[in-house]
Amino acid sequence: MLVPWYLYQRYADKSILEKHFGMGERYVAYLLSKSRAGILNHGLGDWLDVGHYPAHPANTPIPITATAILYQDLTVLACAASVLGMEEKTAWYQAKAEECRKSFNDWFFYPLSKNYANGSQTANAFALFLDLPPEQYRERVAENLRMDIAAKKGHFTGGDIGHPYILRALAKCGMNHIIAENLMKTDFPSYGYQVICSATTLCEDWDGPNPEHPVMSQNHFMLGAAEEWFYGSLAGIQVNAFDPIRIEPFFAKQVDWVECETLTPFGLCGVRWQREPQGKIHVSVSLERSGQILLCVGGREELLNVEEKIERIFEEK
C-alpha cells in the first residue's frame, strides 16, 4: 500500500489507488489476523541489524518494527479510502490505526527513560518518523536517538528495515548533520566500509563482501536509503503534487557543491548549490515546465514562480 500512496502523492493520479486499494486491504487484513490487541509479532523484524550473527534482529524486538509498519499501513489505507470517497472505510481504518497507535505506546514506551522498548536506534526512529510519541516526550525521544548514535561513535545500528527509518527520523528532527557525518565513515558498519571491502554493488549486510560471512547477497537494494536522503535533504527536493515543490537543501560541511535532478509533475526539477567566497552559498533551481516552488533556506520561506531557472545567494550560517 505504501508504493501506490507514494506515487499518488507525487503525481496526483487516483487510478493507482483505485487499482491497488483492494490488494492493500487484503494485505492489511492478513496482518491484522496475526495481531493481538493491536500488536503484531510477525515476520523477520529488523533484518541484518548490527550485532550478532546469524541474521536475526540483535537490537530491536520484532513487534516494534512489525507493529509500527502495521500502523503506517493502516494510516495510509485510511488516507487512500478518503481520497476514493469511501467514508465508512476511512473511519474504520482511522479507528484501527488509533487502536494500533495506543497499543504501541502502551506496550513499548517507557516514560521514565523516554525510550521505546530497549531504546534501540530503530525503535526510537520508527516512533519519531511516524509521529507516535506523545508530544511532551518527542524531543526527549529524539535526544535519546542522538545520544545512542553518539555512543556508537556516529554509527547506525539499524538493519535492512530500520536503516531507512533512522535516516528519515534524523532528517525529520533536524539532525541532517549526523547523517552527513555518518556517510563519510569507512569503518564497520558504514557504506564506506563496503567500499573498503571492495564491494562494487550495494550489499545486503553491513559486513559487505566480508569473506567471513560470504552467504549474503552482494547486490541488494535494501540498505540504499542514503539515496533518498541525497534527493530529499542534501539537494532538498521534496515533491507533493498538491503543493508547490519544496526546495530545502542541507548545506553539509563535507561537500562544497551538490547537483541533482529528479522527475516531478513539472518535468525535471534540478537543484545545484555551491559554496562561494566570503561564506556565501549560490543556489539555483530549474524546472522543465513552469511551476511554483517554495524555497526554504535559513528558516525563511520564499514562494516563487519558476519559468525556467531561478538563482539566489545566501549567507551560510
Side-chain angles (χ1 to χ4, degrees), residues 195-230:
V195 176
I196 292 296
C197 288
S198 302
T200 56
T201 52
L202 191 63
C203 306
E204 180 183 8
D205 189 356
W206 285 117
D207 272 359
N210 187 327
E212 295 181 15
H213 306 300
V215 296
M216 294 302 169
S217 167
Q218 301 302 300
N219 186 2
H220 225 73
F221 74 97
M222 290 179 69
L223 290 175
E227 186 172 15
E228 180 183 3
W229 183 80
F230 290 154

Side-chain angles (χ1 to χ4, degrees), residues 166-178:
I166 292 171
L167 270 62
R168 291 165 187 163
L170 289 170
K172 187 172 185 174
C173 294
M175 294 188 279
N176 280 304
H177 63 286
I178 294 177

Side-chain angles (χ1 to χ4, degrees), residues 1 4 16-26 76-82 84 86 89-90 93:
M1 203 58 234
I16 193 77
L17 297 182
E18 292 167 345
K19 180 178 180 180
H20 295 290
F21 187 82
M23 175 187 66
E25 282 201 295
R26 290 190 296 275
V76 163
L77 270 178
C79 293
S82 178
L84 297 174
M86 303 174 178
K89 289 189 175 184
T90 300
Y93 284 116

Side-chain angles (χ1 to χ4, degrees), residues 75-187:
T75 302
V76 163
L77 270 178
C79 293
S82 178
V83 169
L84 297 174
M86 303 174 178
E87 295 182 6
E88 289 186 6
K89 289 189 175 184
T90 300
W92 194 86
Y93 284 116
Q94 285 174 340
K96 280 293 180 183
E98 185 54 37
E99 175 188 321
C100 187
R101 175 196 182 105
K102 184 178 185 305
S103 295
F104 189 90
N105 282 322
D106 287 347
W107 281 96
F108 301 129
F109 182 63
Y110 291 86
L112 289 179
S113 67
K114 310 326 186 266
N115 278 312
Y116 280 84
N118 55 358
S120 73
Q121 293 176 21
T122 291
N124 284 335
F126 258 98
L128 287 165
F129 179 71
L130 297 176
D131 293 320
L132 289 165
E135 185 60 36
Q136 67 268 33
Y137 297 125
R138 181 175 177 82
E139 287 187 10
R140 280 296 307 277
V141 175
E143 177 63 9
N144 283 339
L145 174 60
R146 185 199 67 77
M147 289 173 60
D148 191 84
I149 294 169
K152 305 294 191 299
K153 298 182 179 180
H155 288 288
F156 302 150
T157 59
D160 289 334
I161 308 305
H163 182 65
Y165 287 85
I166 292 171
L167 270 62
R168 291 165 187 163
L170 289 170
K172 187 172 185 174
C173 294
M175 294 188 279
N176 280 304
H177 63 286
I178 294 177
I179 301 172
E181 290 164 5
N182 176 271
L183 293 179
M184 300 300 293
K185 294 186 176 299
T186 56
D187 57 334

